[in-house]
Amino acid sequence: MSLLDDVAERDNWRCWVCDEPVDPDMSVNDPRGPSVDSRTADRKAKLVERLAHRGCNTRKGAVKVVIAWPDHLYVADPAPLIAVAERLERKGGREMVGRCPDRGDAQEAADWLVDRFSRLAPGLPVTAGIEAGGGQFLIVLSAGRR
């Protein structure tokens, strides 16, 4: 159990897939119980162990993981966040991840993205910028090359 406890403490008892809290007292056999998941952006890369609910981890094996954007954010053309994380981890750079009708919506989405990426890809320092253009506001994530 020490590996599970170490990984869970590092991830603050939050599931990396659904971003919901994981109950440390729940049975590991319960779908909402804790499990250790290995996620990597590259088959050759070192495996990164992450905390996930047992059900999220099991479902991830059967279908491609999709990190949902919150319903309260008004974002057009939201990018698939797992693919964005994998590309930024692999090569760094900048990536446009969505567009918003006003700066307030864009700032709210940018703040959420930086917070979410801190748990989705903890070793990847990500910053979010907002660029005005064409009557809309683009949300751009940036990461240095690792």
Side-chain angles (χ1 to χ4, degrees):
M1 227 17 195
S2 66
L3 173 66
L4 174 61
D5 291 336
D6 293 344
V7 171
E9 290 297 323
R10 185 196 65 217
D11 289 350
N12 294 316
W13 289 96
R14 288 195 85 76
C15 175
W16 82 266
V17 177
C18 70
D19 202 35
E20 295 290 323
V22 176
D23 184 351
D25 298 322
M26 187 75 66
S27 167
V28 295
N29 296 319
D30 188 282
R32 298 295 294 168
S35 71
V36 174
D37 177 44
S38 296
R39 171 174 123 33
T40 181
D42 182 344
R43 294 179 203 269
K44 299 175 189 170
K46 180 181 171 192
L47 291 178
V48 177
E49 292 168 331
R50 305 297 310 275
L51 181 69
H53 291 110
R54 168 75 54 206
C56 291
N57 197 354
T58 302
R59 190 170 45 256
K60 183 181 79 65
V63 296
K64 190 171 185 174
V65 176
V66 174
I67 303 298
W69 287 68
D71 291 334
H72 72 277
L73 295 178
Y74 189 64
V75 179
D77 301 326
L81 298 180
I82 293 287
V84 169
E86 289 174 348
R87 282 190 297 271
L88 289 175
E89 285 177 325
R90 189 173 57 250
K91 61 182 185 174
R94 295 167 28 102
E95 188 152 341
M96 200 280 289
V97 294
R99 49 192 180 87
C100 297
D102 67 47
R103 185 171 292 280
D105 289 333
Q107 188 61 57
E108 187 177 0
D111 293 343
W112 176 81
L113 282 163
V114 170
D115 178 60
R116 185 65 177 99
F117 267 71
S118 73
R119 291 182 300 283
L120 179 60
L124 181 67
V126 173
T127 58
I130 300 167
E131 298 177 5
Q136 58 193 352
F137 296 87
L138 306 176
I139 306 161
V140 179
L141 287 183
S142 300
R145 189 173 182 91
R146 297 192 336 167

